[in-house]
mmCIF file of all heavy atoms in Angstrom:
data_model
loop_
_atom_site.group_PDB
_atom_site.id
_atom_site.type_symbol
_atom_site.label_atom_id
_atom_site.label_comp_id
_atom_site.label_asym_id
_atom_site.label_seq_id
_atom_site.Cartn_x
_atom_site.Cartn_y
_atom_site.Cartn_z
ATOM 1 N N ARG A 158 -16.978 -20.200 -12.988
ATOM 2 C CA ARG A 158 -16.853 -18.812 -12.531
ATOM 3 C C ARG A 158 -16.578 -17.852 -13.677
ATOM 4 O O ARG A 158 -16.829 -16.657 -13.557
ATOM 5 C CB ARG A 158 -15.753 -18.705 -11.464
ATOM 6 C CG ARG A 158 -16.220 -19.262 -10.136
ATOM 7 C CD ARG A 158 -15.146 -19.163 -9.086
ATOM 8 N NE ARG A 158 -14.001 -20.019 -9.409
ATOM 9 C CZ ARG A 158 -12.888 -20.038 -8.706
ATOM 10 N NH1 ARG A 158 -12.749 -19.257 -7.664
ATOM 11 N NH2 ARG A 158 -11.900 -20.849 -9.051
ATOM 12 N N ALA A 159 -16.072 -18.374 -14.786
ATOM 13 C CA ALA A 159 -15.819 -17.517 -15.952
ATOM 14 C C ALA A 159 -17.077 -17.315 -16.799
ATOM 15 O O ALA A 159 -17.115 -16.400 -17.627
ATOM 16 C CB ALA A 159 -14.704 -18.120 -16.810
ATOM 17 N N LEU A 160 -18.083 -18.156 -16.599
ATOM 18 C CA LEU A 160 -19.329 -17.988 -17.363
ATOM 19 C C LEU A 160 -20.082 -16.769 -16.841
ATOM 20 O O LEU A 160 -20.086 -16.506 -15.637
ATOM 21 C CB LEU A 160 -20.199 -19.247 -17.234
ATOM 22 C CG LEU A 160 -19.620 -20.515 -17.868
ATOM 23 C CD1 LEU A 160 -20.420 -21.746 -17.442
ATOM 24 C CD2 LEU A 160 -19.609 -20.411 -19.391
ATOM 25 N N THR A 161 -20.726 -16.056 -17.756
ATOM 26 C CA THR A 161 -21.393 -14.811 -17.346
ATOM 27 C C THR A 161 -22.900 -14.989 -17.165
ATOM 28 O O THR A 161 -23.575 -14.059 -16.732
ATOM 29 C CB THR A 161 -21.141 -13.701 -18.383
ATOM 30 O OG1 THR A 161 -21.621 -14.153 -19.650
ATOM 31 C CG2 THR A 161 -19.666 -13.365 -18.494
ATOM 32 N N SER A 162 -23.415 -16.170 -17.523
ATOM 33 C CA SER A 162 -24.853 -16.379 -17.333
ATOM 34 C C SER A 162 -25.092 -17.439 -16.262
ATOM 35 O O SER A 162 -24.167 -18.149 -15.859
ATOM 36 C CB SER A 162 -25.499 -16.785 -18.654
ATOM 37 O OG SER A 162 -24.693 -17.720 -19.308
ATOM 38 N N HIS A 163 -26.343 -17.552 -15.812
ATOM 39 C CA HIS A 163 -26.686 -18.546 -14.804
ATOM 40 C C HIS A 163 -26.549 -19.948 -15.382
ATOM 41 O O HIS A 163 -26.952 -20.206 -16.513
ATOM 42 C CB HIS A 163 -28.121 -18.362 -14.330
ATOM 43 C CG HIS A 163 -28.303 -17.162 -13.465
ATOM 44 N ND1 HIS A 163 -27.766 -17.078 -12.201
ATOM 45 C CD2 HIS A 163 -28.943 -15.996 -13.683
ATOM 46 C CE1 HIS A 163 -28.073 -15.911 -11.678
ATOM 47 N NE2 HIS A 163 -28.784 -15.224 -12.561
ATOM 48 N N ILE A 164 -25.981 -20.825 -14.591
ATOM 49 C CA ILE A 164 -25.921 -22.244 -14.948
ATOM 50 C C ILE A 164 -26.298 -23.033 -13.693
ATOM 51 O O ILE A 164 -26.336 -22.468 -12.600
ATOM 52 C CB ILE A 164 -24.507 -22.675 -15.406
ATOM 53 C CG1 ILE A 164 -23.430 -22.165 -14.428
ATOM 54 C CG2 ILE A 164 -24.204 -22.186 -16.815
ATOM 55 C CD1 ILE A 164 -22.839 -23.188 -13.552
ATOM 56 N N THR A 165 -26.573 -24.310 -13.864
ATOM 57 C CA THR A 165 -26.642 -25.184 -12.695
ATOM 58 C C THR A 165 -25.532 -26.216 -12.824
ATOM 59 O O THR A 165 -25.068 -26.512 -13.928
ATOM 60 C CB THR A 165 -28.016 -25.864 -12.550
ATOM 61 O OG1 THR A 165 -28.421 -26.377 -13.814
ATOM 62 C CG2 THR A 165 -29.055 -24.879 -12.077
ATOM 63 N N MET A 166 -25.086 -26.728 -11.678
ATOM 64 C CA MET A 166 -23.955 -27.649 -11.642
ATOM 65 C C MET A 166 -24.363 -28.954 -10.989
ATOM 66 O O MET A 166 -25.127 -28.957 -10.025
ATOM 67 C CB MET A 166 -22.798 -27.057 -10.815
ATOM 68 C CG MET A 166 -22.225 -25.790 -11.378
ATOM 69 S SD MET A 166 -21.170 -24.960 -10.174
ATOM 70 C CE MET A 166 -19.668 -25.884 -10.374
ATOM 71 N N ASP A 167 -23.834 -30.037 -11.503
ATOM 72 C CA ASP A 167 -24.035 -31.332 -10.860
ATOM 73 C C ASP A 167 -22.759 -32.156 -11.084
ATOM 74 O O ASP A 167 -21.887 -31.763 -11.859
ATOM 75 C CB ASP A 167 -25.271 -32.032 -11.436
ATOM 76 C CG ASP A 167 -25.880 -33.021 -10.441
ATOM 77 O OD1 ASP A 167 -25.203 -33.391 -9.472
ATOM 78 O OD2 ASP A 167 -27.034 -33.439 -10.660
ATOM 79 N N TRP A 168 -22.675 -33.278 -10.402
ATOM 80 C CA TRP A 168 -21.440 -34.076 -10.400
ATOM 81 C C TRP A 168 -21.736 -35.551 -10.571
ATOM 82 O O TRP A 168 -22.751 -36.040 -10.072
ATOM 83 C CB TRP A 168 -20.706 -33.888 -9.060
ATOM 84 C CG TRP A 168 -20.334 -32.475 -8.790
ATOM 85 C CD1 TRP A 168 -21.096 -31.535 -8.132
ATOM 86 C CD2 TRP A 168 -19.136 -31.803 -9.185
ATOM 87 N NE1 TRP A 168 -20.416 -30.329 -8.095
ATOM 88 C CE2 TRP A 168 -19.218 -30.476 -8.727
ATOM 89 C CE3 TRP A 168 -17.983 -32.212 -9.878
ATOM 90 C CZ2 TRP A 168 -18.202 -29.549 -8.938
ATOM 91 C CZ3 TRP A 168 -16.965 -31.288 -10.082
ATOM 92 C CH2 TRP A 168 -17.084 -29.979 -9.617
ATOM 93 N N MET A 169 -20.840 -36.214 -11.243
ATOM 94 C CA MET A 169 -20.879 -37.674 -11.320
ATOM 95 C C MET A 169 -19.505 -38.215 -10.953
ATOM 96 O O MET A 169 -18.501 -37.548 -11.190
ATOM 97 C CB MET A 169 -21.194 -38.155 -12.743
ATOM 98 C CG MET A 169 -22.664 -38.156 -13.056
ATOM 99 S SD MET A 169 -22.971 -38.941 -14.641
ATOM 100 C CE MET A 169 -23.184 -40.652 -14.147
ATOM 101 N N ALA A 170 -19.497 -39.415 -10.412
ATOM 102 C CA ALA A 170 -18.228 -40.126 -10.232
ATOM 103 C C ALA A 170 -18.374 -41.467 -10.921
ATOM 104 O O ALA A 170 -19.377 -42.169 -10.729
ATOM 105 C CB ALA A 170 -17.923 -40.320 -8.751
ATOM 106 N N VAL A 171 -17.421 -41.792 -11.758
ATOM 107 C CA VAL A 171 -17.463 -43.056 -12.493
ATOM 108 C C VAL A 171 -16.130 -43.770 -12.348
ATOM 109 O O VAL A 171 -15.110 -43.151 -12.032
ATOM 110 C CB VAL A 171 -17.770 -42.837 -14.002
ATOM 111 C CG1 VAL A 171 -19.143 -42.224 -14.182
ATOM 112 C CG2 VAL A 171 -16.707 -42.007 -14.685
ATOM 113 N N SER A 172 -16.174 -45.063 -12.586
ATOM 114 C CA SER A 172 -14.944 -45.826 -12.497
ATOM 115 C C SER A 172 -15.008 -46.948 -13.524
ATOM 116 O O SER A 172 -16.075 -47.473 -13.811
ATOM 117 C CB SER A 172 -14.841 -46.397 -11.081
ATOM 118 O OG SER A 172 -14.029 -47.518 -11.074
ATOM 119 N N SER A 173 -13.864 -47.273 -14.027
ATOM 120 C CA SER A 173 -13.795 -48.386 -14.960
ATOM 121 C C SER A 173 -14.156 -49.668 -14.213
ATOM 122 O O SER A 173 -13.723 -49.873 -13.084
ATOM 123 C CB SER A 173 -12.384 -48.474 -15.516
ATOM 124 O OG SER A 173 -12.381 -49.182 -16.696
ATOM 125 N N TYR A 174 -14.967 -50.495 -14.816
ATOM 126 C CA TYR A 174 -15.475 -51.674 -14.120
ATOM 127 C C TYR A 174 -14.465 -52.815 -14.164
ATOM 128 O O TYR A 174 -13.838 -53.056 -15.191
ATOM 129 C CB TYR A 174 -16.782 -52.133 -14.777
ATOM 130 C CG TYR A 174 -17.463 -53.231 -14.034
ATOM 131 C CD1 TYR A 174 -18.159 -52.968 -12.859
ATOM 132 C CD2 TYR A 174 -17.395 -54.540 -14.477
ATOM 133 C CE1 TYR A 174 -18.785 -53.969 -12.152
ATOM 134 C CE2 TYR A 174 -18.017 -55.561 -13.789
ATOM 135 C CZ TYR A 174 -18.709 -55.272 -12.613
ATOM 136 O OH TYR A 174 -19.309 -56.274 -11.921
ATOM 137 N N GLY A 175 -14.329 -53.536 -13.049
ATOM 138 C CA GLY A 175 -13.589 -54.791 -13.052
ATOM 139 C C GLY A 175 -12.088 -54.631 -12.945
ATOM 140 O O GLY A 175 -11.589 -54.324 -11.875
ATOM 141 N N SER A 176 -11.393 -54.766 -14.037
ATOM 142 C CA SER A 176 -9.942 -54.929 -14.016
ATOM 143 C C SER A 176 -9.189 -53.727 -13.448
ATOM 144 O O SER A 176 -8.057 -53.847 -13.051
ATOM 145 C CB SER A 176 -9.445 -55.168 -15.428
ATOM 146 O OG SER A 176 -9.603 -53.998 -16.198
ATOM 147 N N GLY A 177 -9.805 -52.561 -13.451
ATOM 148 C CA GLY A 177 -9.099 -51.376 -13.000
ATOM 149 C C GLY A 177 -8.431 -50.653 -14.139
ATOM 150 O O GLY A 177 -7.952 -49.541 -13.975
ATOM 151 N N THR A 178 -8.381 -51.239 -15.298
ATOM 152 C CA THR A 178 -7.873 -50.522 -16.458
ATOM 153 C C THR A 178 -9.048 -49.841 -17.136
ATOM 154 O O THR A 178 -10.189 -50.243 -16.967
ATOM 155 C CB THR A 178 -7.221 -51.468 -17.479
ATOM 156 O OG1 THR A 178 -8.228 -52.263 -18.069
ATOM 157 C CG2 THR A 178 -6.187 -52.345 -16.820
ATOM 158 N N LYS A 179 -8.758 -48.811 -17.912
ATOM 159 C CA LYS A 179 -9.838 -48.084 -18.551
ATOM 160 C C LYS A 179 -10.150 -48.651 -19.919
ATOM 161 O O LYS A 179 -11.097 -48.262 -20.557
ATOM 162 C CB LYS A 179 -9.456 -46.618 -18.690
ATOM 163 C CG LYS A 179 -9.378 -45.926 -17.353
ATOM 164 C CD LYS A 179 -9.002 -44.475 -17.552
ATOM 165 C CE LYS A 179 -8.488 -43.896 -16.256
ATOM 166 N NZ LYS A 179 -7.277 -43.158 -16.407
ATOM 167 N N SER A 180 -9.336 -49.573 -20.383
ATOM 168 C CA SER A 180 -9.458 -49.977 -21.773
ATOM 169 C C SER A 180 -10.702 -50.804 -22.074
ATOM 170 O O SER A 180 -11.085 -50.956 -23.220
ATOM 171 C CB SER A 180 -8.215 -50.758 -22.203
ATOM 172 O OG SER A 180 -7.990 -51.784 -21.294
#
Side-chain angles (χ1 to χ4, degrees):
R158 285 180 294 175
L160 294 169
T161 58
S162 43
H163 288 291
I164 48 106
T165 46
M166 297 166 81
D167 205 344
W168 300 90
M169 277 188 89
V171 297
S172 156
S173 200
Y174 187 76
S176 69
T178 69
K179 292 180 198 133
S180 52

